[in-house]
Amino acid sequence: MLDPQLLRSDIESVARRLATRPFTLDTGAFQAIEQERKQVQGRTQELQAARNQFAKRIGQAKAKGEDVSALMAKAGRGNEELATLEKRLESIQTGLQDFLLGVPNVPHESVPVGASPADNVEVRRAGTPRRFDAPARDHVDIGAAIGMLEFDTAVKISGARFALMKGPLARLHRAIAQFMLDVHTAEHGYTEVYVPYLVNAASMRGTGQLPKFEADLFAVPREAGEGNAAEKLYLIPTAEVPVTNIVREEIVPLERLPLKFVCHSPCFRSEAGSYGKDTRGMIRQHQFDKVELVQICHPQRSYEALEQLTGHAETILKRLELPYRVVTLCTGDMGFSAAKTYDLEVWLPGQSAYREISSCSNFETFQARRMQARFRNEKGKPELVHTLNGSGLAVGRTLVAVMENYQRSDGGVDVPPALRPYMGGVEFIAPAR
RNA sequence: GGAGAGAUGGCCGAGCGGUCUAAGGCGCACGCCUGGAAAGCGUGUAUACGUGAAUAGCGUAUCGCGGGUUCGAAUCCCGCUCUCUCCGCCA
């Protein structure tokens, strides 16, 4: 959510910057709501002040034993108008809130302006894609060759866009997650957290998934009890949601910043909009694991933190010796809540392309304002924190990258040296006989 | 699933229709005192919104959340959520 003060004071420049996403800010609608709000709020407060005065005077008179019937007759006079205005004010404020919840974040000045992924700007590359004598196979073929990756079984059990892994491949998947957690906790100073995978609507609103992107989520209805409409829960699309919401409605002491959390969790995405894309393999699934990095930090240090966090995610790719590049997302390709995003794209020989494996973003106060997540600043006053997060990394896609980059001519897969300690020393996965 | 208790400021805790502008304590900040400190004493100590040049005043809202009664609600009534205790069930 954007700062309402900013919209009141300088809506045109906000609109101009949002237009680069592209998003059309309805400045007229905002100003109309604001104007009415001011008027109604002013009058409401006037009537409330009058009511309070009367109540006070009646109390004082009664205490002295005076007759209060005349006062009481006068006191109730404005109440009907007040009740109407209070209702009106409430609905105006709800309307204003709804309006603000639907406005995306303003891109940072350093974000390149552009319309599509083609306008993203490459920042750096690391590693060199390996040469193959024969055409490189993709992970689906490799998985079939080793006999450990089954899509048809997953379809039978659940449906499209699920995968089932077996044996050493399942272990490799687990090894990847363990490896990432160990690096981030031991070397990068993150605190490991275990969190709920089902969260309430307030948490989804806090990080920006709701109200706009309900269709992308899996919702779990709950039976209503007597007279209560039980709140439904949502499966998390990323650990970002529960982890960032740790600080919702909290005031963090200055000296505890930055908070750095790492969390391994499954992620569930309905992905309604992306059907037809990446239908082959496990690139785009309804369920996947991810190791997520989250930082809650001081507003003055958030861009520094974004660089560091991105570097932490890169470390994993370097240790796994996977070629990748870093791109700055352009205004048109950034997510709703982000002010700036770096994507890490890993080289996939099966596709001869760099594909997203991590997305690292600074949300500035966008999520913090929705969550009322604050810290006590140098002056002792509560101030909104900046929130950041990034995948460190997507486990399923990392497995895909390992399979494709470490494929052997005999149909098997080498285990990257960094993962061997997590595989009981196993150095390669042999093809099925 | 059943029975009961509770939710008040940064924390503890009183208040159970009107001077609540929320007692008292703890903590914190500043001042006095002191060679320095402790103790003691004094003063201050929430958030949001509106109106202001203002981090000044003034106004409004907020005692878990929502609704109701009333001229007036932390206080009374109804609903909900959460926490705790006991029983049952369960990993």
Side-chain angles (χ1 to χ4, degrees):
Chain A
M1 199 164 89
L2 300 180
D3 184 0
Q5 300 288 8
L6 189 66
L7 290 181
R8 284 180 205 129
S9 60
D10 197 9
I11 194 164
E12 288 310 326
S13 83
V14 173
R16 228 175 296 125
R17 291 172 71 185
L18 287 174
T20 61
R21 276 181 157 272
F23 176 87
T24 308
L25 183 66
D26 191 343
T27 57
F30 177 80
Q31 280 159 340
I33 299 172
E34 266 296 287
Q35 199 189 336
E36 194 187 0
R37 194 206 95 240
K38 274 188 192 177
Q39 191 198 325
V40 173
Q41 186 169 341
R43 180 66 184 148
T44 303
Q45 292 188 353
E46 236 171 69
L47 289 172
Q48 284 171 332
R51 180 197 61 192
N52 292 347
Q53 277 306 313
F54 271 115
K56 196 171 185 175
R57 274 202 272 160
I58 290 170
Q60 285 167 343
K62 255 191 164 172
K64 289 185 213 152
E66 294 170 6
D67 176 42
V68 293
S69 53
L71 270 175
M72 282 184 44
K74 268 171 136 181
R77 218 177 268 169
N79 278 7
E80 207 166 302
E81 187 191 355
L82 181 58
T84 312
L85 282 175
E86 280 178 337
K87 282 216 174 69
R88 181 77 198 122
L89 183 60
E90 199 188 320
S91 89
I92 292 168
Q93 272 162 343
T94 314
L96 192 61
Q97 189 75 359
D98 290 348
F99 178 90
L100 291 170
L101 285 174
V103 178
N105 203 354
V106 173
H108 188 255
E109 298 92 347
S110 66
V111 173
V113 174
S116 77
D119 300 313
N120 294 343
V121 174
E122 185 175 309
V123 181
R124 58 185 168 269
R125 269 177 204 233
T128 315
R130 173 185 150 198
R131 288 228 185 127
F132 291 89
D133 301 330
R137 288 171 301 162
D138 77 357
H139 69 282
V140 179
D141 290 343
I142 298 165
I146 58 178
M148 300 175 194
L149 179 58
E150 298 177 13
F151 292 101
D152 44 0
T153 311
V155 166
K156 177 178 71 185
I157 297 168
S158 298
R161 291 185 186 277
F162 288 93
L164 186 143
M165 292 173 264
K166 281 181 172 171
L169 189 69
R171 185 177 188 180
L172 185 60
H173 182 262
R174 171 162 58 94
I176 288 169
Q178 301 294 334
F179 165 68
M180 292 175 184
L181 282 171
D182 284 351
V183 171
H184 294 312
T185 53
E187 299 178 34
H188 299 149
Y190 289 80
T191 301
E192 183 172 351
V193 286
Y194 173 85
V195 294
Y197 301 151
L198 287 162
V199 302
N200 55 31
S203 294
M204 287 294 186
R205 214 175 297 119
T207 33
Q209 281 74 21
L210 289 180
K212 246 192 155 174
F213 306 102
E214 176 142 28
D216 296 345
L217 302 169
F218 285 107
V220 181
R222 281 204 288 181
E223 217 165 296
E226 283 177 46
N228 69 315
E231 208 189 346
K232 66 178 158 187
L233 293 174
Y234 297 87
L235 278 161
I236 56 170
T238 158
E240 162 193 352
V241 178
V243 176
T244 310
N245 273 279
I246 287 172
V247 292
R248 173 153 54 89
E249 291 153 51
E250 298 288 334
I251 299 175
V252 182
L254 179 65
E255 62 274 15
R256 285 191 52 212
L257 294 180
L259 296 173
K260 295 164 75 178
F261 296 116
V262 59
C263 180
H264 169 220
S265 84
C267 305
F268 302 93
R269 297 190 183 176
S270 180
E271 307 256 17
S274 58
Y275 275 93
K277 253 168 106 185
D278 296 313
T279 46
R280 178 179 165 86
M282 48 187 291
I283 292 289
R284 196 174 299 273
Q285 301 273 286
H286 284 315
Q287 173 188 321
F288 61 95
D289 276 27
K290 184 156 57 69
V291 170
E292 184 77 358
L293 304 172
V294 173
Q295 290 201 29
I296 310 297
C297 83
H298 193 287
Q300 278 164 15
R301 290 194 253 295
S302 67
Y303 278 93
E304 195 182 310
L306 177 62
E307 299 300 323
Q308 286 165 2
L309 186 147
T310 306
H312 296 152
E314 287 180 68
T315 300
I316 302 298
L317 289 166
K318 285 179 183 154
R319 296 282 175 84
L320 295 176
E321 298 171 68
L322 293 168
Y324 70 93
R325 60 174 195 160
V326 182
V327 300
T328 307
L329 295 195
C330 72
T331 52
D333 200 26
M334 268 201 308
F336 179 77
S337 306
K340 182 171 185 175
T341 300
Y342 291 118
D343 268 11
L344 269 49
E345 298 181 344
V346 71
W347 177 255
L348 292 186
Q351 298 188 6
S352 287
Y354 285 99
R355 293 301 307 266
E356 178 189 340
I357 196 165
S358 171
S359 196
C360 304
S361 304
N362 185 357
F363 303 92
E364 299 186 1
T365 57
F366 189 84
Q367 296 180 327
R369 186 168 291 106
R370 289 169 164 246
M371 292 191 297
Q372 281 305 295
R374 295 171 293 176
F375 72 105
R376 209 164 279 285
N377 69 17
E378 291 78 356
K379 289 177 185 160
K381 292 289 169 199
E383 184 180 334
L384 294 170
V385 295
H386 278 196
T387 62
L388 301 92
N389 68 58
S391 349
L393 310 159
V395 177
R397 288 190 181 180
T398 305
L399 180 70
V400 167
V402 167
M403 289 169 78
E404 296 193 4
N405 283 281
Y406 284 84
Q407 60 184 286
R408 293 154 56 110
S409 51
D410 69 358
V413 175
D414 282 320
V415 174
L419 295 178
R420 287 175 196 170
Y422 296 87
M423 292 290 287
V426 168
E427 293 182 6
F428 68 94
I429 298 172
R433 278 166 294 152

